[in-house]
Amino acid sequence: AAPAPAPLTSTQPPVGWSGLVDLVRRHRPALASVLEHGRPLAFSADGVEVGYQPGTFYWESAHERENQALLERLLAEQFGQRVVLKLTALRGDAPVATIAESDEARRHEREAEIRAGAMEHPAVQNAISILGGEVKEVIPLATRIEDNN
């Protein structure tokens, strides 16, 4: 049996854009994924504006009436008033990163840190000096364990 969805109301408004996306994820994960690719241009009780590149899957999904209705309902419940939801077509350089872009940047930074740490590790340096050669790839243990499950 599927778990029951979390109640829609809470005593606290979402903490910014990412809080709203997390709230939506509990009710409709596919819509949360769409929101992760949106650019939050405004977020307050006065209105929420999200930008997308027009003609994309994310643009089309955000415009589905059912998705807009859920967002408007959640925003109204969270802020205690009707909140205007505006979807804006973006062209050219975007002023704000999406959650997906921010997550990807953090993942790349973390991978670079792991690689640098592995390459600087004394055991790795000793192995290179004794055996010669070079390190071709660094595979974080967490990734390797996840891949084997």
Side-chain angles (χ1 to χ4, degrees), residues 5-9 20-35 61-78 81 83 85:
L8 292 177
T9 58
L20 175 66
V21 173
D22 289 342
L23 177 65
V24 171
R25 186 178 330 284
R26 292 193 296 258
H27 303 284
R28 195 171 300 152
L31 177 56
S33 179
V34 168
L35 296 176
S61 295
H63 277 86
E64 289 179 10
R65 186 65 211 138
E66 184 179 311
N67 288 338
Q68 285 186 12
L70 175 63
L71 285 173
E72 289 168 350
R73 189 176 88 230
L74 290 175
L75 286 167
E77 289 177 5
Q78 291 301 303
Q81 67 183 48
V83 177
L85 174 65

PDB file of all heavy atoms in Angstrom, residues 5-9 20-35 61-78 81 83 85:
ATOM      1  N   PRO A   5      -0.308  10.648   1.597  1.00  0.00           N
ATOM      2  CA  PRO A   5       0.431  11.893   1.424  1.00  0.00           C
ATOM      3  C   PRO A   5       0.421  12.715   2.706  1.00  0.00           C
ATOM      4  O   PRO A   5      -0.504  12.631   3.502  1.00  0.00           O
ATOM      5  CB  PRO A   5      -0.306  12.615   0.295  1.00  0.00           C
ATOM      6  CG  PRO A   5      -1.638  11.972   0.196  1.00  0.00           C
ATOM      7  CD  PRO A   5      -1.506  10.588   0.776  1.00  0.00           C
ATOM      8  N   ALA A   6       1.470  13.497   2.873  1.00  0.00           N
ATOM      9  CA  ALA A   6       1.563  14.360   4.046  1.00  0.00           C
ATOM     10  C   ALA A   6       0.434  15.383   4.006  1.00  0.00           C
ATOM     11  O   ALA A   6      -0.025  15.758   2.937  1.00  0.00           O
ATOM     12  CB  ALA A   6       2.920  15.060   4.047  1.00  0.00           C
ATOM     13  N   PRO A   7      -0.030  15.837   5.177  1.00  0.00           N
ATOM     14  CA  PRO A   7      -1.079  16.854   5.165  1.00  0.00           C
ATOM     15  C   PRO A   7      -0.588  18.102   4.435  1.00  0.00           C
ATOM     16  O   PRO A   7       0.588  18.434   4.468  1.00  0.00           O
ATOM     17  CB  PRO A   7      -1.332  17.136   6.639  1.00  0.00           C
ATOM     18  CG  PRO A   7      -0.243  16.480   7.390  1.00  0.00           C
ATOM     19  CD  PRO A   7       0.400  15.481   6.498  1.00  0.00           C
ATOM     20  N   LEU A   8      -1.521  18.793   3.777  1.00  0.00           N
ATOM     21  CA  LEU A   8      -1.143  19.954   2.990  1.00  0.00           C
ATOM     22  C   LEU A   8      -0.773  21.146   3.853  1.00  0.00           C
ATOM     23  O   LEU A   8       0.012  21.985   3.459  1.00  0.00           O
ATOM     24  CB  LEU A   8      -2.288  20.350   2.048  1.00  0.00           C
ATOM     25  CG  LEU A   8      -2.591  19.373   0.938  1.00  0.00           C
ATOM     26  CD1 LEU A   8      -3.780  19.855   0.124  1.00  0.00           C
ATOM     27  CD2 LEU A   8      -1.397  19.193   0.034  1.00  0.00           C
ATOM     28  N   THR A   9      -1.338  21.257   5.019  1.00  0.00           N
ATOM     29  CA  THR A   9      -1.099  22.449   5.820  1.00  0.00           C
ATOM     30  C   THR A   9       0.048  22.220   6.788  1.00  0.00           C
ATOM     31  O   THR A   9       0.358  21.107   7.185  1.00  0.00           O
ATOM     32  CB  THR A   9      -2.361  22.821   6.612  1.00  0.00           C
ATOM     33  OG1 THR A   9      -2.723  21.720   7.425  1.00  0.00           O
ATOM     34  CG2 THR A   9      -3.489  23.187   5.688  1.00  0.00           C
ATOM     35  N   LEU A  20       9.347  25.390  -0.858  1.00  0.00           N
ATOM     36  CA  LEU A  20       8.136  25.091  -1.617  1.00  0.00           C
ATOM     37  C   LEU A  20       8.336  23.833  -2.461  1.00  0.00           C
ATOM     38  O   LEU A  20       7.463  22.967  -2.505  1.00  0.00           O
ATOM     39  CB  LEU A  20       7.747  26.263  -2.522  1.00  0.00           C
ATOM     40  CG  LEU A  20       6.558  25.980  -3.443  1.00  0.00           C
ATOM     41  CD1 LEU A  20       5.279  25.785  -2.641  1.00  0.00           C
ATOM     42  CD2 LEU A  20       6.405  27.083  -4.473  1.00  0.00           C
ATOM     43  N   VAL A  21       9.483  23.724  -3.105  1.00  0.00           N
ATOM     44  CA  VAL A  21       9.753  22.546  -3.932  1.00  0.00           C
ATOM     45  C   VAL A  21       9.726  21.289  -3.075  1.00  0.00           C
ATOM     46  O   VAL A  21       9.155  20.268  -3.470  1.00  0.00           O
ATOM     47  CB  VAL A  21      11.087  22.693  -4.699  1.00  0.00           C
ATOM     48  CG1 VAL A  21      11.448  21.407  -5.427  1.00  0.00           C
ATOM     49  CG2 VAL A  21      11.020  23.868  -5.672  1.00  0.00           C
ATOM     50  N   ASP A  22      10.296  21.343  -1.882  1.00  0.00           N
ATOM     51  CA  ASP A  22      10.257  20.187  -0.970  1.00  0.00           C
ATOM     52  C   ASP A  22       8.828  19.843  -0.572  1.00  0.00           C
ATOM     53  O   ASP A  22       8.459  18.672  -0.494  1.00  0.00           O
ATOM     54  CB  ASP A  22      11.100  20.445   0.275  1.00  0.00           C
ATOM     55  CG  ASP A  22      12.588  20.440  -0.007  1.00  0.00           C
ATOM     56  OD1 ASP A  22      13.006  19.903  -1.063  1.00  0.00           O
ATOM     57  OD2 ASP A  22      13.350  20.993   0.815  1.00  0.00           O
ATOM     58  N   LEU A  23       8.012  20.858  -0.316  1.00  0.00           N
ATOM     59  CA  LEU A  23       6.608  20.631   0.027  1.00  0.00           C
ATOM     60  C   LEU A  23       5.881  19.967  -1.140  1.00  0.00           C
ATOM     61  O   LEU A  23       5.151  18.987  -0.952  1.00  0.00           O
ATOM     62  CB  LEU A  23       5.942  21.959   0.383  1.00  0.00           C
ATOM     63  CG  LEU A  23       4.449  21.909   0.701  1.00  0.00           C
ATOM     64  CD1 LEU A  23       4.196  21.090   1.958  1.00  0.00           C
ATOM     65  CD2 LEU A  23       3.903  23.322   0.849  1.00  0.00           C
ATOM     66  N   VAL A  24       6.092  20.469  -2.335  1.00  0.00           N
ATOM     67  CA  VAL A  24       5.451  19.894  -3.527  1.00  0.00           C
ATOM     68  C   VAL A  24       5.912  18.454  -3.734  1.00  0.00           C
ATOM     69  O   VAL A  24       5.117  17.588  -4.107  1.00  0.00           O
ATOM     70  CB  VAL A  24       5.739  20.756  -4.775  1.00  0.00           C
ATOM     71  CG1 VAL A  24       5.280  20.064  -6.046  1.00  0.00           C
ATOM     72  CG2 VAL A  24       5.076  22.118  -4.637  1.00  0.00           C
ATOM     73  N   ARG A  25       7.182  18.168  -3.469  1.00  0.00           N
ATOM     74  CA  ARG A  25       7.720  16.814  -3.659  1.00  0.00           C
ATOM     75  C   ARG A  25       6.950  15.782  -2.857  1.00  0.00           C
ATOM     76  O   ARG A  25       6.773  14.653  -3.281  1.00  0.00           O
ATOM     77  CB  ARG A  25       9.200  16.782  -3.282  1.00  0.00           C
ATOM     78  CG  ARG A  25       9.884  15.463  -3.591  1.00  0.00           C
ATOM     79  CD  ARG A  25      11.371  15.437  -3.263  1.00  0.00           C
ATOM     80  NE  ARG A  25      12.074  16.687  -3.362  1.00  0.00           N
ATOM     81  CZ  ARG A  25      12.445  17.286  -4.507  1.00  0.00           C
ATOM     82  NH1 ARG A  25      12.169  16.734  -5.656  1.00  0.00           N
ATOM     83  NH2 ARG A  25      13.072  18.439  -4.486  1.00  0.00           N
ATOM     84  N   ARG A  26       6.435  16.173  -1.682  1.00  0.00           N
ATOM     85  CA  ARG A  26       5.669  15.226  -0.848  1.00  0.00           C
ATOM     86  C   ARG A  26       4.320  14.896  -1.467  1.00  0.00           C
ATOM     87  O   ARG A  26       3.728  13.873  -1.139  1.00  0.00           O
ATOM     88  CB  ARG A  26       5.491  15.798   0.549  1.00  0.00           C
ATOM     89  CG  ARG A  26       6.792  15.870   1.317  1.00  0.00           C
ATOM     90  CD  ARG A  26       6.558  16.136   2.780  1.00  0.00           C
ATOM     91  NE  ARG A  26       5.953  17.425   3.052  1.00  0.00           N
ATOM     92  CZ  ARG A  26       6.604  18.494   3.484  1.00  0.00           C
ATOM     93  NH1 ARG A  26       7.896  18.427   3.676  1.00  0.00           N
ATOM     94  NH2 ARG A  26       5.966  19.618   3.723  1.00  0.00           N
ATOM     95  N   HIS A  27       3.818  15.751  -2.337  1.00  0.00           N
ATOM     96  CA  HIS A  27       2.493  15.561  -2.927  1.00  0.00           C
ATOM     97  C   HIS A  27       2.555  15.087  -4.372  1.00  0.00           C
ATOM     98  O   HIS A  27       1.748  14.261  -4.780  1.00  0.00           O
ATOM     99  CB  HIS A  27       1.684  16.859  -2.845  1.00  0.00           C
ATOM    100  CG  HIS A  27       1.551  17.348  -1.444  1.00  0.00           C
ATOM    101  ND1 HIS A  27       0.693  16.770  -0.537  1.00  0.00           N
ATOM    102  CD2 HIS A  27       2.194  18.323  -0.777  1.00  0.00           C
ATOM    103  CE1 HIS A  27       0.812  17.388   0.620  1.00  0.00           C
ATOM    104  NE2 HIS A  27       1.714  18.325   0.509  1.00  0.00           N
ATOM    105  N   ARG A  28       3.494  15.639  -5.116  1.00  0.00           N
ATOM    106  CA  ARG A  28       3.595  15.299  -6.534  1.00  0.00           C
ATOM    107  C   ARG A  28       5.060  15.409  -6.959  1.00  0.00           C
ATOM    108  O   ARG A  28       5.506  16.455  -7.433  1.00  0.00           O
ATOM    109  CB  ARG A  28       2.716  16.220  -7.368  1.00  0.00           C
ATOM    110  CG  ARG A  28       2.513  15.656  -8.769  1.00  0.00           C
ATOM    111  CD  ARG A  28       1.474  16.400  -9.571  1.00  0.00           C
ATOM    112  NE  ARG A  28       0.171  16.373  -8.928  1.00  0.00           N
ATOM    113  CZ  ARG A  28      -0.739  17.334  -9.092  1.00  0.00           C
ATOM    114  NH1 ARG A  28      -0.504  18.357  -9.870  1.00  0.00           N
ATOM    115  NH2 ARG A  28      -1.905  17.251  -8.495  1.00  0.00           N
ATOM    116  N   PRO A  29       5.824  14.330  -6.794  1.00  0.00           N
ATOM    117  CA  PRO A  29       7.264  14.358  -7.110  1.00  0.00           C
ATOM    118  C   PRO A  29       7.584  14.817  -8.537  1.00  0.00           C
ATOM    119  O   PRO A  29       8.573  15.521  -8.743  1.00  0.00           O
ATOM    120  CB  PRO A  29       7.712  12.909  -6.884  1.00  0.00           C
ATOM    121  CG  PRO A  29       6.715  12.354  -5.924  1.00  0.00           C
ATOM    122  CD  PRO A  29       5.418  13.039  -6.241  1.00  0.00           C
ATOM    123  N   ALA A  30       6.763  14.442  -9.490  1.00  0.00           N
ATOM    124  CA  ALA A  30       7.040  14.851 -10.872  1.00  0.00           C
ATOM    125  C   ALA A  30       6.960  16.369 -11.012  1.00  0.00           C
ATOM    126  O   ALA A  30       7.773  16.980 -11.718  1.00  0.00           O
ATOM    127  CB  ALA A  30       6.072  14.173 -11.838  1.00  0.00           C
ATOM    128  N   LEU A  31       6.024  16.998 -10.349  1.00  0.00           N
ATOM    129  CA  LEU A  31       5.909  18.453 -10.395  1.00  0.00           C
ATOM    130  C   LEU A  31       7.100  19.094  -9.687  1.00  0.00           C
ATOM    131  O   LEU A  31       7.611  20.121 -10.139  1.00  0.00           O
ATOM    132  CB  LEU A  31       4.593  18.922  -9.786  1.00  0.00           C
ATOM    133  CG  LEU A  31       4.388  20.434  -9.710  1.00  0.00           C
ATOM    134  CD1 LEU A  31       4.519  21.084 -11.088  1.00  0.00           C
ATOM    135  CD2 LEU A  31       3.035  20.753  -9.083  1.00  0.00           C
ATOM    136  N   ALA A  32       7.548  18.502  -8.608  1.00  0.00           N
ATOM    137  CA  ALA A  32       8.735  19.038  -7.917  1.00  0.00           C
ATOM    138  C   ALA A  32       9.938  19.036  -8.854  1.00  0.00           C
ATOM    139  O   ALA A  32      10.721  19.989  -8.867  1.00  0.00           O
ATOM    140  CB  ALA A  32       9.026  18.226  -6.660  1.00  0.00           C
ATOM    141  N   SER A  33      10.073  18.001  -9.652  1.00  0.00           N
ATOM    142  CA  SER A  33      11.162  17.947 -10.624  1.00  0.00           C
ATOM    143  C   SER A  33      11.046  19.083 -11.635  1.00  0.00           C
ATOM    144  O   SER A  33      12.040  19.702 -12.013  1.00  0.00           O
ATOM    145  CB  SER A  33      11.163  16.597 -11.338  1.00  0.00           C
ATOM    146  OG  SER A  33      12.194  16.559 -12.294  1.00  0.00           O
ATOM    147  N   VAL A  34       9.838  19.375 -12.062  1.00  0.00           N
ATOM    148  CA  VAL A  34       9.613  20.497 -12.982  1.00  0.00           C
ATOM    149  C   VAL A  34      10.019  21.804 -12.309  1.00  0.00           C
ATOM    150  O   VAL A  34      10.694  22.648 -12.911  1.00  0.00           O
ATOM    151  CB  VAL A  34       8.136  20.539 -13.437  1.00  0.00           C
ATOM    152  CG1 VAL A  34       7.811  21.844 -14.154  1.00  0.00           C
ATOM    153  CG2 VAL A  34       7.830  19.343 -14.324  1.00  0.00           C
ATOM    154  N   LEU A  35       9.645  21.976 -11.050  1.00  0.00           N
ATOM    155  CA  LEU A  35       9.981  23.193 -10.324  1.00  0.00           C
ATOM    156  C   LEU A  35      11.488  23.333 -10.121  1.00  0.00           C
ATOM    157  O   LEU A  35      12.016  24.449 -10.123  1.00  0.00           O
ATOM    158  CB  LEU A  35       9.256  23.230  -8.980  1.00  0.00           C
ATOM    159  CG  LEU A  35       7.732  23.288  -9.046  1.00  0.00           C
ATOM    160  CD1 LEU A  35       7.139  23.223  -7.647  1.00  0.00           C
ATOM    161  CD2 LEU A  35       7.265  24.516  -9.791  1.00  0.00           C
ATOM    162  N   SER A  61       4.917  21.601 -18.803  1.00  0.00           N
ATOM    163  CA  SER A  61       4.426  20.957 -17.577  1.00  0.00           C
ATOM    164  C   SER A  61       3.986  21.984 -16.541  1.00  0.00           C
ATOM    165  O   SER A  61       2.971  21.799 -15.862  1.00  0.00           O
ATOM    166  CB  SER A  61       5.519  20.065 -16.979  1.00  0.00           C
ATOM    167  OG  SER A  61       5.812  19.003 -17.853  1.00  0.00           O
ATOM    168  N   ALA A  62       4.748  23.059 -16.409  1.00  0.00           N
ATOM    169  CA  ALA A  62       4.383  24.101 -15.441  1.00  0.00           C
ATOM    170  C   ALA A  62       3.057  24.755 -15.811  1.00  0.00           C
ATOM    171  O   ALA A  62       2.325  25.212 -14.936  1.00  0.00           O
ATOM    172  CB  ALA A  62       5.494  25.144 -15.368  1.00  0.00           C
ATOM    173  N   HIS A  63       2.735  24.777 -17.093  1.00  0.00           N
ATOM    174  CA  HIS A  63       1.494  25.404 -17.544  1.00  0.00           C
ATOM    175  C   HIS A  63       0.269  24.485 -17.465  1.00  0.00           C
ATOM    176  O   HIS A  63      -0.843  24.946 -17.713  1.00  0.00           O
ATOM    177  CB  HIS A  63       1.651  25.930 -18.978  1.00  0.00           C
ATOM    178  CG  HIS A  63       2.285  27.270 -19.019  1.00  0.00           C
ATOM    179  ND1 HIS A  63       3.644  27.443 -19.035  1.00  0.00           N
ATOM    180  CD2 HIS A  63       1.738  28.504 -19.014  1.00  0.00           C
ATOM    181  CE1 HIS A  63       3.910  28.733 -19.056  1.00  0.00           C
ATOM    182  NE2 HIS A  63       2.772  29.405 -19.041  1.00  0.00           N
ATOM    183  N   GLU A  64       0.469  23.223 -17.138  1.00  0.00           N
ATOM    184  CA  GLU A  64      -0.686  22.332 -17.011  1.00  0.00           C
ATOM    185  C   GLU A  64      -1.573  22.841 -15.879  1.00  0.00           C
ATOM    186  O   GLU A  64      -1.109  23.131 -14.782  1.00  0.00           O
ATOM    187  CB  GLU A  64      -0.235  20.897 -16.738  1.00  0.00           C
ATOM    188  CG  GLU A  64       0.418  20.252 -17.943  1.00  0.00           C
ATOM    189  CD  GLU A  64       0.902  18.835 -17.668  1.00  0.00           C
ATOM    190  OE1 GLU A  64       0.561  18.270 -16.604  1.00  0.00           O
ATOM    191  OE2 GLU A  64       1.627  18.309 -18.525  1.00  0.00           O
ATOM    192  N   ARG A  65      -2.829  22.955 -16.164  1.00  0.00           N
ATOM    193  CA  ARG A  65      -3.783  23.545 -15.214  1.00  0.00           C
ATOM    194  C   ARG A  65      -3.765  22.824 -13.868  1.00  0.00           C
ATOM    195  O   ARG A  65      -3.826  23.454 -12.809  1.00  0.00           O
ATOM    196  CB  ARG A  65      -5.195  23.532 -15.825  1.00  0.00           C
ATOM    197  CG  ARG A  65      -6.202  24.245 -14.997  1.00  0.00           C
ATOM    198  CD  ARG A  65      -5.888  25.753 -14.895  1.00  0.00           C
ATOM    199  NE  ARG A  65      -6.358  26.240 -13.603  1.00  0.00           N
ATOM    200  CZ  ARG A  65      -5.701  27.072 -12.820  1.00  0.00           C
ATOM    201  NH1 ARG A  65      -4.552  27.565 -13.170  1.00  0.00           N
ATOM    202  NH2 ARG A  65      -6.205  27.443 -11.664  1.00  0.00           N
ATOM    203  N   GLU A  66      -3.691  21.509 -13.895  1.00  0.00           N
ATOM    204  CA  GLU A  66      -3.680  20.735 -12.646  1.00  0.00           C
ATOM    205  C   GLU A  66      -2.456  21.089 -11.797  1.00  0.00           C
ATOM    206  O   GLU A  66      -2.552  21.220 -10.570  1.00  0.00           O
ATOM    207  CB  GLU A  66      -3.683  19.236 -12.984  1.00  0.00           C
ATOM    208  CG  GLU A  66      -3.760  18.336 -11.777  1.00  0.00           C
ATOM    209  CD  GLU A  66      -3.794  16.871 -12.188  1.00  0.00           C
ATOM    210  OE1 GLU A  66      -4.595  16.507 -13.064  1.00  0.00           O
ATOM    211  OE2 GLU A  66      -3.004  16.102 -11.617  1.00  0.00           O
ATOM    212  N   ASN A  67      -1.314  21.261 -12.431  1.00  0.00           N
ATOM    213  CA  ASN A  67      -0.091  21.625 -11.704  1.00  0.00           C
ATOM    214  C   ASN A  67      -0.197  23.033 -11.132  1.00  0.00           C
ATOM    215  O   ASN A  67       0.181  23.274  -9.982  1.00  0.00           O
ATOM    216  CB  ASN A  67       1.135  21.504 -12.609  1.00  0.00           C
ATOM    217  CG  ASN A  67       1.485  20.065 -12.897  1.00  0.00           C
ATOM    218  OD1 ASN A  67       1.109  19.159 -12.152  1.00  0.00           O
ATOM    219  ND2 ASN A  67       2.207  19.831 -13.979  1.00  0.00           N
ATOM    220  N   GLN A  68      -0.710  23.959 -11.917  1.00  0.00           N
ATOM    221  CA  GLN A  68      -0.872  25.326 -11.430  1.00  0.00           C
ATOM    222  C   GLN A  68      -1.855  25.375 -10.265  1.00  0.00           C
ATOM    223  O   GLN A  68      -1.623  26.089  -9.283  1.00  0.00           O
ATOM    224  CB  GLN A  68      -1.340  26.242 -12.558  1.00  0.00           C
ATOM    225  CG  GLN A  68      -0.248  26.579 -13.538  1.00  0.00           C
ATOM    226  CD  GLN A  68      -0.715  27.604 -14.557  1.00  0.00           C
ATOM    227  OE1 GLN A  68      -1.768  28.228 -14.414  1.00  0.00           O
ATOM    228  NE2 GLN A  68       0.080  27.778 -15.605  1.00  0.00           N
ATOM    229  N   ALA A  69      -2.924  24.607 -10.366  1.00  0.00           N
ATOM    230  CA  ALA A  69      -3.925  24.593  -9.293  1.00  0.00           C
ATOM    231  C   ALA A  69      -3.314  24.086  -7.986  1.00  0.00           C
ATOM    232  O   ALA A  69      -3.565  24.656  -6.916  1.00  0.00           O
ATOM    233  CB  ALA A  69      -5.119  23.734  -9.701  1.00  0.00           C
ATOM    234  N   LEU A  70      -2.512  23.021  -8.064  1.00  0.00           N
ATOM    235  CA  LEU A  70      -1.872  22.499  -6.857  1.00  0.00           C
ATOM    236  C   LEU A  70      -0.929  23.544  -6.272  1.00  0.00           C
ATOM    237  O   LEU A  70      -0.937  23.791  -5.062  1.00  0.00           O
ATOM    238  CB  LEU A  70      -1.118  21.199  -7.145  1.00  0.00           C
ATOM    239  CG  LEU A  70      -0.311  20.653  -5.962  1.00  0.00           C
ATOM    240  CD1 LEU A  70      -1.218  20.293  -4.791  1.00  0.00           C
ATOM    241  CD2 LEU A  70       0.527  19.460  -6.391  1.00  0.00           C
ATOM    242  N   LEU A  71      -0.124  24.162  -7.108  1.00  0.00           N
ATOM    243  CA  LEU A  71       0.809  25.178  -6.619  1.00  0.00           C
ATOM    244  C   LEU A  71       0.072  26.344  -5.959  1.00  0.00           C
ATOM    245  O   LEU A  71       0.456  26.796  -4.879  1.00  0.00           O
ATOM    246  CB  LEU A  71       1.683  25.697  -7.763  1.00  0.00           C
ATOM    247  CG  LEU A  71       2.777  24.761  -8.236  1.00  0.00           C
ATOM    248  CD1 LEU A  71       3.447  25.321  -9.480  1.00  0.00           C
ATOM    249  CD2 LEU A  71       3.781  24.533  -7.130  1.00  0.00           C
ATOM    250  N   GLU A  72      -0.962  26.819  -6.605  1.00  0.00           N
ATOM    251  CA  GLU A  72      -1.725  27.937  -6.044  1.00  0.00           C
ATOM    252  C   GLU A  72      -2.357  27.550  -4.711  1.00  0.00           C
ATOM    253  O   GLU A  72      -2.374  28.341  -3.764  1.00  0.00           O
ATOM    254  CB  GLU A  72      -2.776  28.407  -7.045  1.00  0.00           C
ATOM    255  CG  GLU A  72      -2.152  29.113  -8.243  1.00  0.00           C
ATOM    256  CD  GLU A  72      -3.110  29.341  -9.398  1.00  0.00           C
ATOM    257  OE1 GLU A  72      -4.239  28.777  -9.377  1.00  0.00           O
ATOM    258  OE2 GLU A  72      -2.735  30.069 -10.327  1.00  0.00           O
ATOM    259  N   ARG A  73      -2.847  26.315  -4.612  1.00  0.00           N
ATOM    260  CA  ARG A  73      -3.460  25.850  -3.364  1.00  0.00           C
ATOM    261  C   ARG A  73      -2.413  25.759  -2.253  1.00  0.00           C
ATOM    262  O   ARG A  73      -2.638  26.229  -1.129  1.00  0.00           O
ATOM    263  CB  ARG A  73      -4.142  24.503  -3.574  1.00  0.00           C
ATOM    264  CG  ARG A  73      -4.972  24.083  -2.356  1.00  0.00           C
ATOM    265  CD  ARG A  73      -5.725  22.800  -2.593  1.00  0.00           C
ATOM    266  NE  ARG A  73      -4.860  21.694  -2.231  1.00  0.00           N
ATOM    267  CZ  ARG A  73      -4.610  20.638  -2.994  1.00  0.00           C
ATOM    268  NH1 ARG A  73      -5.172  20.526  -4.175  1.00  0.00           N
ATOM    269  NH2 ARG A  73      -3.824  19.688  -2.588  1.00  0.00           N
ATOM    270  N   LEU A  74      -1.262  25.177  -2.561  1.00  0.00           N
ATOM    271  CA  LEU A  74      -0.210  25.049  -1.549  1.00  0.00           C
ATOM    272  C   LEU A  74       0.304  26.416  -1.117  1.00  0.00           C
ATOM    273  O   LEU A  74       0.537  26.651   0.080  1.00  0.00           O
ATOM    274  CB  LEU A  74       0.943  24.187  -2.075  1.00  0.00           C
ATOM    275  CG  LEU A  74       0.642  22.702  -2.244  1.00  0.00           C
ATOM    276  CD1 LEU A  74       1.812  21.991  -2.891  1.00  0.00           C
ATOM    277  CD2 LEU A  74       0.300  22.067  -0.911  1.00  0.00           C
ATOM    278  N   LEU A  75       0.481  27.312  -2.066  1.00  0.00           N
ATOM    279  CA  LEU A  75       0.941  28.656  -1.721  1.00  0.00           C
ATOM    280  C   LEU A  75      -0.074  29.369  -0.831  1.00  0.00           C
ATOM    281  O   LEU A  75       0.298  30.004   0.165  1.00  0.00           O
ATOM    282  CB  LEU A  75       1.216  29.473  -2.988  1.00  0.00           C
ATOM    283  CG  LEU A  75       2.479  29.093  -3.738  1.00  0.00           C
ATOM    284  CD1 LEU A  75       2.487  29.727  -5.127  1.00  0.00           C
ATOM    285  CD2 LEU A  75       3.724  29.481  -2.948  1.00  0.00           C
ATOM    286  N   ALA A  76      -1.352  29.264  -1.166  1.00  0.00           N
ATOM    287  CA  ALA A  76      -2.392  29.903  -0.360  1.00  0.00           C
ATOM    288  C   ALA A  76      -2.418  29.326   1.050  1.00  0.00           C
ATOM    289  O   ALA A  76      -2.536  30.073   2.037  1.00  0.00           O
ATOM    290  CB  ALA A  76      -3.756  29.734  -1.028  1.00  0.00           C
ATOM    291  N   GLU A  77      -2.288  28.024   1.169  1.00  0.00           N
ATOM    292  CA  GLU A  77      -2.290  27.390   2.489  1.00  0.00           C
ATOM    293  C   GLU A  77      -1.060  27.792   3.282  1.00  0.00           C
ATOM    294  O   GLU A  77      -1.131  28.018   4.484  1.00  0.00           O
ATOM    295  CB  GLU A  77      -2.386  25.878   2.356  1.00  0.00           C
ATOM    296  CG  GLU A  77      -3.744  25.413   1.881  1.00  0.00           C
ATOM    297  CD  GLU A  77      -3.826  23.912   1.674  1.00  0.00           C
ATOM    298  OE1 GLU A  77      -2.851  23.201   1.980  1.00  0.00           O
ATOM    299  OE2 GLU A  77      -4.873  23.443   1.203  1.00  0.00           O
ATOM    300  N   GLN A  78       0.080  27.870   2.622  1.00  0.00           N
ATOM    301  CA  GLN A  78       1.316  28.187   3.328  1.00  0.00           C
ATOM    302  C   GLN A  78       1.399  29.646   3.750  1.00  0.00           C
ATOM    303  O   GLN A  78       1.872  29.953   4.829  1.00  0.00           O
ATOM    304  CB  GLN A  78       2.526  27.835   2.452  1.00  0.00           C
ATOM    305  CG  GLN A  78       2.707  26.352   2.247  1.00  0.00           C
ATOM    306  CD  GLN A  78       2.885  25.617   3.561  1.00  0.00           C
ATOM    307  OE1 GLN A  78       3.780  25.915   4.331  1.00  0.00           O
ATOM    308  NE2 GLN A  78       2.020  24.661   3.823  1.00  0.00           N
ATOM    309  N   GLN A  81      -3.055  33.194   2.486  1.00  0.00           N
ATOM    310  CA  GLN A  81      -3.774  34.089   1.575  1.00  0.00           C
ATOM    311  C   GLN A  81      -3.542  33.619   0.145  1.00  0.00           C
ATOM    312  O   GLN A  81      -2.633  32.835  -0.111  1.00  0.00           O
ATOM    313  CB  GLN A  81      -3.287  35.535   1.711  1.00  0.00           C
ATOM    314  CG  GLN A  81      -1.845  35.728   1.234  1.00  0.00           C
ATOM    315  CD  GLN A  81      -1.343  37.131   1.446  1.00  0.00           C
ATOM    316  OE1 GLN A  81      -1.507  37.683   2.525  1.00  0.00           O
ATOM    317  NE2 GLN A  81      -0.737  37.706   0.427  1.00  0.00           N
ATOM    318  N   VAL A  83      -2.061  33.635  -3.327  1.00  0.00           N
ATOM    319  CA  VAL A  83      -0.786  34.107  -3.855  1.00  0.00           C
ATOM    320  C   VAL A  83      -0.828  33.965  -5.368  1.00  0.00           C
ATOM    321  O   VAL A  83      -1.147  32.905  -5.893  1.00  0.00           O
ATOM    322  CB  VAL A  83       0.401  33.296  -3.278  1.00  0.00           C
ATOM    323  CG1 VAL A  83       1.715  33.744  -3.888  1.00  0.00           C
ATOM    324  CG2 VAL A  83       0.438  33.415  -1.758  1.00  0.00           C
ATOM    325  N   LEU A  85       0.451  33.284  -8.871  1.00  0.00           N
ATOM    326  CA  LEU A  85       1.518  32.496  -9.481  1.00  0.00           C
ATOM    327  C   LEU A  85       1.673  32.959 -10.921  1.00  0.00           C
ATOM    328  O   LEU A  85       0.711  32.945 -11.694  1.00  0.00           O
ATOM    329  CB  LEU A  85       1.169  31.008  -9.446  1.00  0.00           C
ATOM    330  CG  LEU A  85       2.132  30.074 -10.183  1.00  0.00           C
ATOM    331  CD1 LEU A  85       3.510  30.086  -9.524  1.00  0.00           C
ATOM    332  CD2 LEU A  85       1.569  28.659 -10.217  1.00  0.00           C
TER     333      LEU A  85
END
